[in-house]
Amino acid sequence: MSICTERKRKAYIAFHRGYLGYQQTNTRRLEKREKVLIKKCRKGDAVAQRALYLRYRVRWYMTCLRYAPNKPDADDMLQEGLINIFNSLGQFDPDKGSFGAWSNRVLVNAILQYIRKWKRLRVVDDLEAYIHTLAEDEVCFARLGAEELTKMIQKLPEGYRIVFNLYVIEGYKHHEIAQMLGISESTSKTQLFKAKRMLRMKLGSILQQ
Amino acid sequence: MKDRLEIFFRKKLTEPQKKEAWNTPSDEIWEMARPHFEVKRKRRRRIFIGLFLLLFAGIGTVGWLLLNDAENPPAAEVSKNEIRKDIASRDQGIKHMSPSERGLEDEMVMESPIPTQPMPVPQPAPHSVPALKSHADRSRPIVEMPVFAKQAGVAPYSQQQQRFATNMEERIEHRAALKKNSLESLPPLQPVLEVQPETATIAGPGLPAVKHISPDNRFAVRVFNVPLVTAFSSAQDMNFGNPVNVSHSFGVGAEYAIHKHWWLGLGVSVLHLNSRITYSGSQNYDATTEYYFGGGMMANDVSFQTTSSLGERFLTATVLRSNMEPIPQGTQLEARLTSGHRLTYFNLPVVMLYRRNLGGKFSVFGGGGPGFNWLLAERLEKTGKVLHQDKPMEVIAMNASSGHIETKNWWSVDAKAGLEYRFRQDVSVYSSFRFKYGFTPFLSADDIYVKYREAGIALGLRYAFY
C-alpha cells in the first residue's frame, strides 16, 4: 500500500467517524474494558484486581492525602479503603454511575470510619492555635499545583479538613455531613467557614489578583 | 452557592493528575491489603456453598416425598350409596341380625364378607358304616350364624378381640371415614389392625385409632411467640456501659411430615432486638472545643460516647449552655447517657424436628436448622443528661454517627427442644427452649466477626391438618 493510499484511508476514516465520534468510541471501549475488569475482580482474579488498582491508585491516593494529616495516615486510609472497595464490588451497579465515583464514595466512607476508629474527630474552634502551622511552610505559594494545595489542606485542623473536603471536593450538603460525622449542621457550617477563612488568609492575595 | 475559593480548590484537586512520586502509593500498601479480600472471599464462598447444599438437600427430600405421593394418588371420593351397594354385594345372602335377635347381647356382627356358598343340605347316608363316613357326608344340623362363621375359619365371636360395627349405618359411616383407601384395597376382614396412638388420625366406631399418614394429614402450621434474652458479641471491645439486650420474635411456620417422627419446617418471623445501654462517667471539660451556637448560647460537643452492643453506633452528646458564663478548663462533668438501639430483622429459618408421642396427649420434640436474617429497620433512642457540679446542663439530642451496622444480615443456627400438649384432635399448644446462634460469615470493616447468641422460651400454637 503506497503512502498516498494510506493517507487517503486515514482521511476517509477520520471524515466518516469524525474526531468526536472516534473519541466516544474510544471512551466506550475503555468503559467496556473496565466492566470486564470489575467482573473479573468479583470472581477474585488477582491480575484484574491489580490492574484495577493501578488504574485508580493515583485518584484514590489523592483523596486519602486530602483527608489525612500526613503520608503514613494516608497510606493506612488507602489500605482500609482498598479492602472496602474490593470487598464490596458486588454492590457496584454500573447503571447507577461510574466506577470512579462509586469507589470514591466507598473510599471516603472508609476514611471516615478510620478517623472514627483511631482518632476522635475534634471540632476545633481555636483558630489562632493552628495559624503558625501554616506560616511555617511558605513553599506552597511558589507553585500552586495539586500537591501544594493538598499540603495546605493537610495542615488544616482535622475537623476543618474533613468538612472542607466533604463539602467542597466531594460535594456533600451540610445536613449530610452532619449526619456522617455526628455533628450538628451548624457545626458543619462553622467548620467550613473557618477552614475557608484559614485558607483564604494564605491564598487571599493570590486569588484577588 | 460556591465561592471562588471553593471553585478554585475543586477544579485544582479533581482534575486528572499525572502519576508522580507524591501522589503514587507504594506497592507495599497493595501487598498488605490484597490478602484481606482474597481470604474473605474464599471463606464466604465455602459457607454459602455449605448452607445452600443443606437447603437443597432439604428441598430435594421434600420433593422426592411429594413425587412418591403423587404416584399413589388418593382414591376418589366415594359416596355413601356406593358404600351401601358394596357392602350389600359382599353380604349377598347373609341376613343381618342384631345381637339381640341372635341372643348374643354382648356380641357384635362381624363387618366382613362372610362366605356366601349355599348352606349344605343333610343327605341320607349311602352306606351304613359310620366309621367310614367322610366329613362332608356326615349329617349336621342347620347351623346358625356363629357356627357358620366357625366353618369359615373365623374364631368365635366371644374370642375375638376386635369389635366391629353392628349395623349397616355404622358400617357405612366407618367405610366413609376410611375413604382415603379405595374400597378394593380395603382388607375384607380386617378394616384396621395396626394401631399407633401417636400418629392416630382416624377413629372409626369401635376402633381406637388408625395409623394413617397420607398427604392430607402431613401438614401442620404453627404460630409462635418467643421472648428472648440476647447478646451480640464480637472481637471488638464494647464495654461502654452495661448492655441489656432483650429480643422478641413472632412468626408463623409450616411443617411437613417426611417420616413417622420427622418433620421439616419452614418459618417466617420478625425478630426485634433491643439494646439499652446506660453510660455513667465523668470527663474533664475541654474549653477549646467550645463554639458559639446561636441565640446567646454556647455549645460544646462533649465527647462522651455510648456504643450499642447491637452494632457500631457511636453516640455523642452535645451540651448547650444558655448563659455565656464560661466553664473553667478541666472542670469535671458528670454524664449519664442512655442509648437505645432497636433492630428489626426478617428471619427465615428452616428446621428439622423429631416429634415423638408420649402415649397420651403429650409429645416431645427437638431439632434445629439454619436460618437467615435480613435487617428491616433500625431505630435509635437517645436520652441523657450532663451535670456540672450537680447542676444539670441542657443537652440536645445526642448525635449518632452513621457507621455501618455490624449485624446487617447474618446467618443463624437454631436449636430447640420442647413439650407439646394436644388439647384437641388437631390443635396443640407447645413450649420449647430455643437457642439461636448467629454469625456474620465475613469480616466487617473493622476486621471482626460478629457473633450473636440468644436463649429463650418459645410459646406456640400448632394446628395439624388431621
Side-chain angles (χ1 to χ4, degrees):
Chain A
M1 191 184 288
S2 69
I3 297 168
C4 185
T5 324
E6 175 64 17
R7 201 176 290 161
K8 274 182 183 172
R9 195 181 68 83
K10 278 184 179 173
Y12 177 78
I13 292 168
F15 176 75
H16 284 281
R17 276 186 177 168
Y19 181 63
L20 189 66
Y22 179 75
Q23 265 196 336
Q24 280 175 350
T25 315
N26 205 27
T27 315
R28 242 176 271 141
R29 197 179 298 154
L30 284 172
E31 279 174 7
K32 201 175 177 183
R33 197 181 294 168
E34 193 173 280
K35 274 183 187 173
V36 173
L37 269 182
I38 291 166
K39 201 179 271 182
K40 283 184 178 176
C41 286
R42 281 175 182 166
K43 288 177 185 168
D45 187 334
V47 179
Q49 284 171 345
R50 172 88 180 158
L52 198 68
Y53 165 71
L54 291 177
R55 200 184 179 101
Y56 280 95
R57 64 177 170 173
V58 171
R59 183 177 172 172
W60 289 340
Y61 195 54
M62 276 189 67
T63 306
C64 293
L65 284 170
R66 282 203 312 271
Y67 282 88
N70 49 48
K71 231 176 167 182
D73 271 359
D75 289 353
D76 287 348
M77 285 174 181
L78 181 65
Q79 195 183 327
E80 297 270 325
L82 286 174
I83 294 167
N84 274 21
I85 289 167
F86 282 95
N87 285 344
S88 50
L89 263 180
Q91 295 167 18
F92 169 62
D93 184 358
D95 299 333
K96 287 183 181 170
S98 71
F99 176 75
W102 176 84
S103 64
N104 214 52
R105 272 201 304 279
V106 175
L107 185 64
V108 169
N109 282 339
I111 289 167
L112 295 178
Q113 188 76 24
Y114 174 87
I115 291 164
R116 228 175 276 132
K117 189 176 169 185
W118 294 110
K119 296 165 179 201
R120 189 167 289 168
L121 176 64
R122 293 178 75 89
V123 184
V124 180
D125 197 69
D126 191 2
L127 184 67
E128 299 308 318
Y130 291 95
I131 290 294
H132 68 279
T133 57
L134 275 180
E136 283 171 4
D137 194 2
E138 294 294 333
V139 184
C140 60
F141 295 103
R143 193 165 53 89
L144 280 172
E147 186 181 359
E148 287 70 35
L149 293 177
T150 307
K151 277 183 182 170
M152 282 180 76
I153 293 171
Q154 279 182 345
K155 296 244 184 299
L156 290 172
E158 190 153 64
Y160 293 6
R161 186 170 65 240
I162 290 162
V163 173
F164 181 82
N165 273 317
L166 288 172
Y167 186 83
V168 177
I169 316 292
E170 318 298 345
Y172 285 103
K173 306 283 177 214
H174 278 300
H175 68 268
E176 289 170 332
I177 295 167
Q179 203 185 353
M180 286 166 89
L181 301 180
I183 57 174
S184 63
E185 204 175 323
S186 60
T187 309
S188 172
K189 282 178 186 170
T190 318
Q191 297 287 300
L192 176 71
F193 173 75
K194 286 170 182 170
K196 285 198 294 190
R197 197 171 68 183
M198 272 184 79
L199 292 170
R200 201 170 273 128
M201 279 170 68
K202 292 292 174 190
L203 293 169
S205 56
I206 299 165
L207 290 174
Q208 280 164 12
Q209 284 170 8
Chain B
M1 189 177 171
K2 307 272 181 194
D3 59 22
R4 286 177 62 198
L5 182 96
E6 288 176 19
I7 294 164
F8 172 71
F9 268 91
R10 192 177 165 81
K11 191 185 167 198
K12 280 275 182 184
L13 292 172
T14 52
E15 66 190 14
Q17 296 292 321
K18 283 180 188 171
K19 185 189 155 195
E20 287 173 44
W22 72 275
N23 64 11
T24 310
S26 65
D27 273 358
E28 211 175 55
I29 297 169
W30 172 253
E31 293 305 325
M32 282 164 75
R34 209 178 142 268
H36 280 279
F37 42 83
E38 211 172 52
V39 169
K40 199 188 84 171
R41 277 191 66 83
K42 281 180 185 168
R43 186 188 164 86
R44 195 195 299 188
R45 194 184 298 161
R46 238 179 283 139
I47 290 166
F48 276 128
I49 289 170
L51 287 167
F52 276 114
L53 280 178
L54 203 69
L55 197 67
F56 283 130
I59 292 167
T61 312
V62 173
W64 181 76
L65 287 160
L66 286 172
L67 280 174
N68 267 9
D69 287 338
E71 284 169 10
N72 305 311
E77 201 73 18
V78 182
S79 71
K80 286 189 179 178
N81 278 342
E82 283 176 68
I83 296 168
R84 193 189 299 276
K85 278 180 198 166
D86 181 72
I87 291 172
S89 69
R90 284 163 187 262
D91 294 355
Q92 263 181 357
I94 298 172
K95 185 190 173 193
H96 286 278
M97 297 168 74
S98 69
S100 58
E101 279 179 289
R102 286 186 279 112
L104 299 164
E105 297 290 337
D106 57 338
E107 295 290 347
M108 294 181 185
V109 177
M110 281 176 62
E111 181 241 11
S112 61
I114 296 171
T116 54
Q117 61 264 45
M119 300 219 311
V121 179
Q123 297 287 326
H127 312 288
S128 58
V129 188
L132 296 174
K133 273 184 185 174
S134 70
H135 176 73
D137 294 336
R138 281 186 209 140
S139 63
R140 63 189 78 169
I142 295 172
V143 293
E144 289 198 10
M145 287 291 283
V147 183
F148 187 64
K150 263 185 197 174
Q151 281 192 339
V154 181
Y157 295 124
S158 56
Q159 290 172 26
Q160 284 200 14
Q161 291 177 357
Q162 298 191 20
R163 301 181 165 240
F164 304 107
T166 54
N167 57 47
M168 181 64 93
E169 284 311 309
E170 280 188 14
R171 290 174 68 188
I172 290 167
E173 288 297 325
H174 174 60
R175 286 285 182 88
L178 293 170
K179 65 180 181 295
K180 289 185 186 77
N181 292 323
S182 68
L183 289 173
E184 286 73 26
S185 66
L186 205 64
L189 278 171
Q190 299 169 345
V192 173
L193 283 180
E194 195 176 355
V195 175
Q196 289 209 0
E198 63 188 291
T199 50
T201 58
I202 300 164
L207 296 169
V210 182
K211 178 199 172 190
H212 192 82
I213 289 181
S214 78
D216 294 333
N217 61 11
R218 276 181 173 181
F219 277 108
V221 288
R222 62 194 152 84
V223 180
F224 57 89
N225 186 23
V226 196
L228 301 149
V229 174
T230 67
F232 263 109
S233 68
S234 69
Q236 199 179 48
D237 186 23
M238 288 189 181
N239 291 324
F240 295 93
N242 299 312
V244 178
N245 299 333
V246 178
S247 75
H248 176 251
S249 178
F250 179 80
V252 292
E255 289 173 4
Y256 181 80
I258 57 171
H259 185 258
K260 196 164 63 177
H261 300 300
W262 289 96
W263 294 73
L264 185 68
L266 187 71
V268 176
S269 70
V270 175
L271 177 66
H272 292 292
L273 303 180
N274 276 297
S275 175
R276 184 164 282 278
I277 300 165
T278 302
Y279 171 85
S280 185
S282 61
Q283 186 178 296
N284 289 336
Y285 186 72
D286 184 2
T288 60
T289 62
E290 198 167 63
Y291 59 91
Y292 180 71
F293 189 74
M297 292 169 90
M298 294 299 287
N300 191 292
D301 285 329
V302 181
S303 51
F304 289 116
Q305 289 187 346
T306 62
T307 304
S308 160
S309 65
L310 297 185
E312 191 178 285
R313 277 284 184 270
F314 295 104
L315 304 172
T316 54
T318 300
V319 182
L320 291 178
R321 281 184 292 115
S322 51
N323 55 0
M324 301 289 282
E325 188 184 322
I327 296 177
Q329 175 80 11
T331 306
Q332 207 172 47
L333 297 178
E334 297 288 332
R336 279 171 188 67
L337 309 176
T338 305
S339 64
H341 196 175
R342 182 173 173 155
L343 300 173
T344 306
Y345 289 97
F346 178 71
N347 177 229
L348 191 69
V350 180
V351 288
M352 182 69 92
L353 287 174
Y354 180 82
R355 179 173 277 108
R356 182 123 205 158
N357 191 273
L358 293 176
K361 291 189 166 184
F362 285 98
S363 306
V364 285
F365 64 92
F372 193 73
N373 306 275
W374 284 274
L375 182 70
L376 288 182
E378 184 196 21
R379 205 175 70 186
L380 284 167
E381 292 166 3
K382 299 154 284 185
T383 55
K385 59 181 177 181
V386 177
L387 305 171
H388 170 225
Q389 293 172 347
D390 295 335
K391 290 176 191 164
M393 298 174 79
E394 201 176 342
V395 181
I396 61 166
M398 286 180 285
N399 298 300
S401 69
S402 57
H404 67 278
I405 312 159
E406 305 288 4
T407 49
K408 200 166 183 180
N409 297 325
W410 42 284
W411 291 93
S412 57
V413 180
D414 283 26
K416 60 173 105 175
L419 190 68
E420 187 175 322
Y421 173 74
R422 200 175 66 215
F423 62 89
R424 265 183 48 184
Q425 174 76 3
D426 43 12
V427 185
S428 50
V429 62
Y430 68 88
S431 177
S432 65
F433 175 77
R434 185 172 102 173
F435 180 77
K436 195 184 191 92
Y437 177 76
F439 56 92
T440 47
F442 41 83
L443 280 170
S444 74
D446 295 328
D447 290 349
I448 54 171
Y449 291 104
V450 175
K451 293 179 181 116
Y452 169 80
R453 296 185 302 273
E454 68 169 35
I457 304 291
L459 300 169
L461 210 60
R462 185 171 177 272
Y463 179 86
F465 291 95
Y466 288 141

